[in-house]
């Protein structure tokens, strides 16, 4: 196995959680989800040589994943604001893997995230992944203060959707 | 009800196998090539119609010549279609590297046969038109006359269109295929 391939595999293994979580926030069915994950992996391979290590590897993965998700969303031209019950449940079961049990709260959270505007989904998922405001701002291309304001608004909106 | 952060943190740690990632790359590369296949099929049809129309446009062409050109075009189209069908057949039996390799050969062969057919048609047109209209004149005299000049103009026009067509549509695809093939040779997939 070539050195590049080894480094690529290790990057994917370390960041697969990021790829899957972000992809899940932008897709409604298992097929779309798998396709998005595959597309992200391919895009990461293609631009692997251009990654110079100026930022953290995870930041770069977040950025590439987000770009792929947004461009696929645009290409599909079918942004369903409320995903189907079956679609989301299926994804959550997949995400549980060997744990076997589905968590209705995670299901509900993803369903709520899927109702947000595309860029808001990215902001809240990055925030929930415990990224600093500055890092989120760098990834989504917004100002730091703007990100802070947006996070508060999105959190309120999500709580309202989830708690009713 | 738990906080959003707590719910999010409850998601299990995800892992992925190396072979799954390899499969991702392989299936994506293959699907891209299948898209190329579809595109070339459409181009094959559109290109042939365009070429026939251009040649049809040549004024005063004898019926026998039209028939001959139609036959050449039909033959080259059939040949390209047959190659495409063979590639498709091979795809399901072979690995992606072999598929890429054959696709690349196909694109190059198609480009070469397309240019060769066009060149043959244009030379044949010149010979037949000259022989039909001014068989006594020398080639130099005929080419300098109105008919020869018109034919040269039309020939140049068709050749230019075809060159631009080939450069814009096929060369980037061949380059991309070569790139994919190189990646495979580096044991990517």
């Amino acid at each position: 196995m070539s050195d590049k391939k080894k480094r690529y595999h290790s990057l994917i293994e370390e960041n697969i959680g990021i790829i899957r979580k972000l992809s899940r926030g932008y897709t409604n069915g298992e097929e779309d989800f798998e396709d998005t994950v595959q597309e992200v992996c391919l895009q990461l391979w293609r631009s692997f040589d251009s990654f110079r290590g100026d930022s953290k590897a995870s930041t770069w993965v977040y950025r590439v994943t987000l770009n792929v998700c947004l461009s696929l969303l645009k290409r599909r031209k079918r942004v369903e604001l409320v995903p189907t019950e079956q679609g989301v449940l299926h994804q959550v079961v997949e995400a549980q893997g060997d744990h076997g049990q589905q968590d209705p709260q995670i299901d509900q959270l993803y369903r709520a995230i899927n109702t947000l505007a595309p860029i808001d989904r990215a902001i809240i998922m990055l925030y929930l992944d415990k990224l600093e405001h500055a890092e989120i701002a760098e990834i989504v291309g917004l100002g730091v203060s703007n990100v802070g304001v947006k996070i508060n608004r999105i959190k309120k909106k999500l709580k309202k959707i989830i708690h009713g | 009800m738990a906080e959003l952060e707590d719910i999010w943190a409850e998601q299990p740690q995800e892992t992925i196998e190396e072979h799954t990632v390899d499969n991702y790359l392989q299936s994506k590369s293959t699907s891209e090539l299948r898209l190329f296949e579809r595109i070339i099929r459409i181009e094959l049809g559109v290109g042939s119609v365009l070429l026939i129309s251009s040649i049809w446009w040549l004024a005063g062409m004898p019926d026998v010549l039209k028939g001959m050109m139609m036959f050449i075009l039909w033959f080259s189209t059939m040949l390209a279609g047959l190659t495409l069908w063979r590639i498709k057949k091979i795809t399901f039996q072979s690995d992606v590297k072999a598929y890429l390799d054959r696709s690349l050969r196909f694109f190059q062969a198609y480009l070469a046969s397309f240019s060769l057919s066009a060149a043959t048609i244009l030379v044949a047109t010149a010979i037949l038109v000259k022989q039909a209209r001014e068989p006594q004149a020398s080639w130099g005299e005929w080419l300098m006359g109105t008919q020869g000049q018109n034919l040269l103009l039309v020939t140049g026009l068709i050749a230019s269109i075809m060159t631009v067509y080939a450069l814009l549509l096929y060369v980037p695809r061949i380059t991309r295929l070569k790139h994919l093939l190189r990646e495979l040779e580096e044991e990517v997939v």
Side-chain angles (χ1 to χ4, degrees):
Chain A
M1 196 193 286
S2 66
D3 182 50
K4 183 185 170 185
K5 195 180 172 188
K6 277 182 195 164
R7 286 186 290 121
Y8 171 76
H9 272 297
S10 115
L11 177 90
I12 296 289
E13 274 165 31
E14 283 164 21
N15 296 289
I16 189 65
I18 292 173
I19 299 169
R20 284 185 171 266
K21 277 187 270 186
L22 272 188
S23 301
R24 198 165 289 127
Y26 285 93
T27 51
N28 290 332
E30 195 206 350
E31 206 177 309
D32 276 355
F33 169 66
E34 276 301 321
D35 193 50
T36 305
V37 173
Q38 285 188 29
E39 192 62 43
V40 172
C41 288
L42 187 69
Q43 198 51 49
L44 284 168
W45 169 258
R46 282 183 179 158
S47 42
F48 194 63
D49 290 330
S50 66
F51 176 59
R52 303 277 172 229
D54 297 336
S55 58
K56 283 197 290 181
S58 59
T59 307
W60 181 66
V61 173
Y62 273 118
R63 200 180 297 137
V64 172
T65 309
L66 184 61
N67 285 341
V68 171
C69 287
L70 290 174
S71 65
L72 285 180
L73 197 66
K74 207 172 168 184
R75 203 188 298 170
R76 284 179 195 131
K77 287 181 181 173
R78 50 185 176 89
V79 188
E80 295 169 35
L81 289 178
V82 183
T84 61
E85 186 90 9
Q86 196 185 6
V88 172
L89 284 175
H90 198 86
Q91 289 165 27
V92 174
V93 172
E94 284 283 312
Q96 296 295 322
D98 291 333
H99 297 261
Q101 296 170 342
Q102 69 177 50
D103 186 336
Q105 283 190 317
I106 295 173
D107 166 30
Q108 201 177 19
L109 178 56
Y110 270 113
R111 212 181 312 167
I113 288 172
N114 267 268
T115 65
L116 300 171
I119 204 71
D120 288 354
R121 296 186 208 182
I123 292 171
I124 196 67
M125 284 192 282
L126 298 178
Y127 165 77
L128 291 171
D129 252 0
K130 299 192 188 321
L131 266 71
E132 297 290 332
H133 287 197
E135 207 174 350
I136 299 173
E138 189 194 333
I139 293 166
V140 298
L142 292 174
V144 180
S145 55
N146 197 1
V147 165
V149 174
K150 269 185 170 285
I151 287 171
N152 286 330
R153 281 189 195 151
I154 299 165
K155 275 175 75 178
K156 275 181 195 165
K157 201 172 174 182
L158 281 179
K159 280 179 184 168
K160 200 176 168 187
I161 296 168
I162 293 170
H163 300 159
Chain B
M1 189 78 183
E3 287 296 318
L4 298 176
E5 292 85 344
D6 299 330
I7 301 171
W8 187 262
E10 277 176 27
Q11 290 183 89
Q13 193 77 23
E14 302 209 49
T15 54
I16 192 162
E17 299 289 329
E18 271 187 19
H19 67 85
T20 312
V21 182
D22 287 345
N23 285 342
Y24 282 170
L25 296 180
Q26 181 161 331
S27 65
K28 274 285 166 189
S29 304
T30 313
S31 68
E32 270 192 23
L33 283 165
R34 291 206 170 118
L35 181 68
F36 283 156
E37 242 182 36
R38 280 197 287 275
I39 292 168
I40 195 110
R41 224 175 275 155
I42 295 165
E43 280 168 6
L44 199 68
V46 175
S48 302
V49 170
L50 276 176
L51 199 61
I52 291 169
S53 310
S54 308
I55 291 159
W56 209 260
W57 180 65
L58 280 168
M61 192 183 287
D63 283 348
V64 66
L65 191 60
K66 285 177 189 168
M68 198 182 118
M69 285 174 182
M70 285 293 284
F71 176 76
I72 295 171
L73 281 169
W74 172 82
F75 186 74
S76 65
T77 308
M78 283 290 288
L79 200 70
L82 203 69
T83 318
L84 200 66
W85 176 74
R86 284 200 61 199
I87 287 172
K88 197 169 177 61
K89 204 176 165 193
I90 292 162
T91 311
F92 294 107
Q93 299 165 349
S94 193
D95 61 289
V96 71
K97 188 180 177 303
Y99 175 70
L100 272 166
D101 197 34
R102 281 174 178 85
S103 298
L104 183 59
R105 282 168 202 276
F106 166 72
F107 276 105
Q108 285 167 335
Y110 178 65
L111 192 58
S113 82
F114 199 70
S115 311
L116 198 68
S117 301
T120 310
I121 290 166
L122 294 170
V123 171
T125 310
I127 294 169
L128 289 172
V129 169
K130 184 197 167 288
Q131 290 307 104
R133 298 292 170 94
E134 295 178 38
Q136 306 303 323
S138 70
W139 273 98
E141 283 171 345
W142 184 75
L143 282 173
M144 293 309 289
T146 315
Q147 274 186 24
Q149 290 291 309
N150 283 345
L151 192 71
L152 282 178
L153 191 70
V154 173
T155 305
L157 194 69
I158 293 173
S160 308
I161 291 169
M162 287 183 69
T163 308
V164 172
Y165 179 80
L167 285 174
L168 289 179
L169 295 172
Y170 291 100
V171 175
R173 285 190 188 108
I174 289 174
T175 312
R176 189 164 179 153
L177 272 172
K178 276 185 177 165
H179 179 70
L180 282 169
L181 197 60
R182 198 165 51 242
E183 280 189 346
L184 282 170
E185 281 163 0
E186 286 169 2
E187 291 183 305
V188 176
V189 183

